[in-house]
Amino acid sequence: MSNVNAGTATALPSGVRSAARFVFDWIPLAIVTLLWEFASGTAVPAEVLPAPSVVAGEIRELLVTGEVFSHLFISLFRISVGLGLSIAAGVLLGIGMARLDPVENFFEVLLALTYPIPKTALVPLAILWLGVGTRTAILIVFLACLLPIVMNAYNAASDVDQNLVWSAKMMGTEGRRLFWKVIIPATIPEILTGVRQAIPIAFIALVSAELIASNQGIGYLILTAGQVGNYPTMFANIVIISAVAYFAVRGFEIGRERGLVWT
Amino acid sequence: MDGNVTISNLEKVYDDGSERTTAVEDLTFDIDAGEFVSVVGPSGCGKSTLLYLLAGFLDETSGTIEVDGTPIDGPGTDRGVVFQDYALFPWRTVMENVTYGLEEQDMGKEERRSTAQQYIDMMDLSGFEDNYPKELSGGMKQRVGLARTLAYGPKILLMDEPFGALDQPLREDLQDQLLDIWGDLDKTVVFVTHDVEEAVYLSDSVMVMTRHPGTKKTVTDVDIDRSKSRADIITSDEFTETKNEVWRSLREETQSGVQP
């Protein structure tokens, strides 16, 4: 087949194009990693900035020995529970505030006042209530994620197209059924946007809490490695949790796109 | 036959605490079962308010609206609203939109689908059952809107400038489709529009509303031979005369509002 014209010359197969796209996306990271590799041991002493190759070896070590998995599992468990609770509470609260005046009046000022508080500043208090460990980490993740989820659910539920609600009422939908059949589906895209915003926040809150108030988890590993000056291990754990957070966000985005074919 | 609407001394005042605005005032009007009535008026005359009062979305300040002798109490399945912006459920496919009202009547799944399919076919939507609204053109969305409303069997159709967002050829297609359906299904129709030609072409009678506050100004009966083609109707003397009569009545209202 030789009937190639000027137009098809640029029209690469989509597989090739997405591969090219992938390479372009990762070039900046590759450049930084290379510079870091060269800087370590030359511009900066290798002891305080271990080279990426050294860190990579350490990551391999952690993964092969399986040492990291029990901590990673604990961290992911805390994130899942904290985020899950904040989704459940945040969606109910956000939609409740949007649709019911008493709920809005009660929580509006409360949320406005607590919004600017850095949730990690509450770790010492959380330790006092719940002790060092999983429950404190869950509480901090929960609090940190709650607001983005509440705000997105609240805005979406406030803006549900009046005509959709009227249409449903005309066809006989009332009360709680209206909530399940119209309000919830109409707000789902924004709820998922809130969850998407909350995932990185959850990781930040988790590691912060584990640095202070835990004997387990990736944050704990980072802290203990740092305290004894084992910087390659410290970096390795930072890279591992960053990668996990990245894939959590990407996985969620892909799932959302597949799930919301109608948007 | 069911579907009589009796409007008596209807008044609607919007009160936002500091200001009272009378949207509809002292409106008395009867619509017979099976009649097609259009409501035209200058923008802001309260014609949409009237439609939403009929739908039960808004509560009247005083006066009554009765359907077959019973005062209406909020929205109900004896009436169906078709909106200008379609108001389809975006998360439901065409089929699922059309079955919605039937679900609410607890109809079984098989029966629901076969009933919905009739109206989908009637509106020329066959083949699009599994598409989502975002995948459809404006004209198709409005046909889904009509199918969804017709499927659950309201006696009265309340239409709020349903073709206002469509371009002229599409409007005409949908107008003719609506007339066919109306001829077949014996529905009472209240059709709000600002397009005089559309109103006269579709209706048995056209009510012109006054500017502000809105009330009945004139009611013009339309007497045209509906067996004729669109082209013959539009160019006929009866049609032109009726259209001019409505237009003059409406013109007085739009002119009266122009400040020097």
Side-chain angles (χ1 to χ4, degrees):
Chain A
M1 298 298 280
S2 60
N3 56 348
V4 177
N5 60 36
T8 55
T10 52
L12 296 165
S14 68
V16 175
R17 248 184 306 154
S18 61
R21 173 89 222 167
F22 181 80
V23 170
F24 276 118
D25 284 350
W26 289 91
I27 281 178
L29 184 68
I31 292 171
V32 169
T33 309
L34 274 177
L35 286 176
W36 176 4
E37 182 75 40
F38 285 119
S40 173
T42 54
V44 189
E47 300 81 55
V48 296
L49 185 69
S53 53
V54 176
V55 174
E58 187 61 30
I59 291 173
R60 194 171 159 278
E61 183 74 18
L62 284 171
L63 295 180
V64 169
T65 59
E67 213 179 309
V68 75
F69 289 117
S70 63
H71 290 280
L72 187 59
F73 178 78
I74 295 238
S75 288
L76 288 178
F77 171 75
R78 290 165 173 172
I79 285 222
S80 307
V81 175
L83 187 58
L85 288 173
S86 73
I87 292 169
V91 167
L92 277 178
L93 194 56
I95 295 179
M97 283 172 65
R99 310 301 298 186
L100 304 167
D101 286 341
V103 181
E104 179 168 20
N105 294 337
F106 188 84
F107 285 102
E108 203 178 19
V109 178
L110 216 55
L111 287 177
L113 286 176
T114 50
Y115 193 31
I117 300 174
K119 302 306 172 288
T120 46
L122 300 175
V123 174
L125 195 60
I127 296 173
L128 189 65
W129 294 342
L130 301 172
V132 166
T134 292
R135 290 192 297 171
T136 289
I138 288 175
L139 178 68
I140 297 304
V141 171
F142 168 79
L143 289 174
C145 295
L146 191 61
L147 272 153
I149 291 168
V150 169
M151 292 322 285
N152 278 282
Y154 171 77
N155 288 334
S158 309
D159 289 346
V160 173
D161 183 357
Q162 179 66 61
N163 288 352
L164 289 185
V165 174
W166 275 345
S167 292
K169 283 188 173 173
M170 210 70 205
M171 292 187 272
T173 314
E174 273 302 329
R176 203 170 297 176
R177 280 179 70 79
L178 192 67
F179 179 79
W180 288 112
K181 296 200 77 165
V182 181
I183 308 293
I184 288 276
T187 46
I188 273 183
E190 283 83 0
I191 288 172
L192 294 184
T193 302
V195 175
R196 159 68 185 76
Q197 288 170 6
I199 293 172
I201 295 173
F203 278 88
I204 295 167
L206 173 87
V207 173
S208 309
E210 285 179 346
L211 284 175
I212 307 169
S214 184
N215 301 319
Q216 288 166 303
I218 297 290
Y220 168 76
L221 290 184
I222 293 170
L223 183 77
T224 47
Q227 279 171 338
V228 299
N230 187 354
Y231 297 119
T233 305
M234 188 187 81
F235 270 104
N237 280 300
I238 292 172
V239 172
I240 288 171
I241 196 71
S242 305
V244 169
Y246 173 80
F247 286 114
V249 170
R250 282 302 295 149
F252 182 81
E253 282 175 345
I254 291 166
R256 178 175 64 169
E257 216 160 285
R258 297 234 170 111
L260 295 181
V261 286
W262 51 271
T263 52
Chain B
M1 198 177 117
D2 290 342
N4 296 282
V5 181
T6 312
I7 303 166
S8 315
N9 306 109
L10 188 65
E11 184 183 42
K12 175 66 186 175
V13 180
Y14 291 106
D15 189 351
D16 69 355
S18 61
E19 202 181 348
R20 289 166 58 87
T21 314
T22 306
V24 175
E25 188 179 65
D26 195 28
L27 183 79
T28 297
F29 191 58
D30 286 347
I31 303 167
D32 292 336
E35 199 181 359
F36 197 126
V37 176
S38 283
V39 180
V40 296
S43 50
C45 73
K47 53 189 191 289
S48 290
T49 299
L50 171 61
L51 201 82
Y52 291 170
L53 287 165
L54 289 169
F57 299 150
L58 305 174
D59 291 328
E60 64 274 7
T61 308
S62 65
T64 54
I65 299 171
E66 292 175 3
V67 171
D68 297 322
T70 311
I72 62 165
D73 180 22
T77 53
D78 54 343
R79 287 151 287 146
V81 179
V82 179
F83 294 95
Q84 181 175 1
D85 69 356
Y86 326 119
L88 302 176
F89 302 119
W91 57 90
R92 288 176 162 250
T93 62
V94 168
M95 174 58 84
E96 289 164 351
N97 265 281
V98 180
T99 53
Y100 185 96
L102 305 170
E103 275 169 45
E104 296 305 277
Q105 295 174 5
D106 293 328
M107 188 186 272
K109 195 178 176 196
E110 288 305 310
E111 199 186 348
R112 227 154 60 200
R113 288 186 73 89
S114 66
T115 307
Q117 191 66 50
Q118 282 174 34
Y119 291 95
I120 286 171
D121 294 344
M122 182 188 286
M123 296 313 301
D124 297 330
L125 292 162
S126 324
F128 293 94
E129 289 86 350
D130 297 327
N131 287 78
Y132 287 96
K134 68 154 184 178
E135 299 164 323
L136 307 178
S137 67
M140 291 177 75
K141 283 182 194 162
Q142 196 53 292
R143 297 213 297 271
V144 178
L146 258 169
R148 181 179 69 175
T149 301
L150 292 169
Y152 71 88
K155 297 175 288 188
I156 300 162
L157 295 184
L158 305 169
M159 309 184 76
D160 188 15
E161 303 206 30
F163 311 142
L166 308 175
D167 59 23
Q168 190 63 21
L170 261 176
R171 286 177 79 117
E172 292 181 0
D173 285 350
L174 276 158
Q175 285 164 6
D176 287 326
Q177 218 164 354
L178 177 61
L179 279 180
D180 286 346
I181 290 163
W182 174 65
D184 292 343
L185 298 181
D186 286 327
K187 304 283 183 196
T188 308
V189 182
V190 181
F191 191 100
V192 167
T193 179
H194 59 260
D195 180 341
V196 172
E197 181 165 308
E198 179 173 69
V200 174
Y201 183 73
L202 292 171
S203 318
D204 293 321
S205 64
V206 180
M207 175 167 81
V208 175
M209 284 180 74
T210 54
R211 185 182 178 79
H212 190 77
T215 191
K216 180 176 74 181
K217 186 188 183 212
T218 54
V219 178
T220 307
D221 288 328
V222 183
D223 187 17
I224 50 178
D225 182 359
R226 301 220 174 267
S227 61
K228 291 200 278 187
S229 72
R230 170 182 281 271
D232 287 341
I233 290 174
I234 297 274
T235 52
S236 69
D237 291 343
E238 302 97 295
F239 183 82
T240 314
E241 268 166 41
T242 314
K243 200 176 87 177
N244 288 344
E245 193 183 325
V246 175
W247 184 81
R248 274 193 297 273
S249 176
L250 180 62
R251 183 74 176 165
E252 284 170 19
E253 286 309 309
T254 42
Q255 292 287 313
S256 73
V258 178
Q259 301 299 317

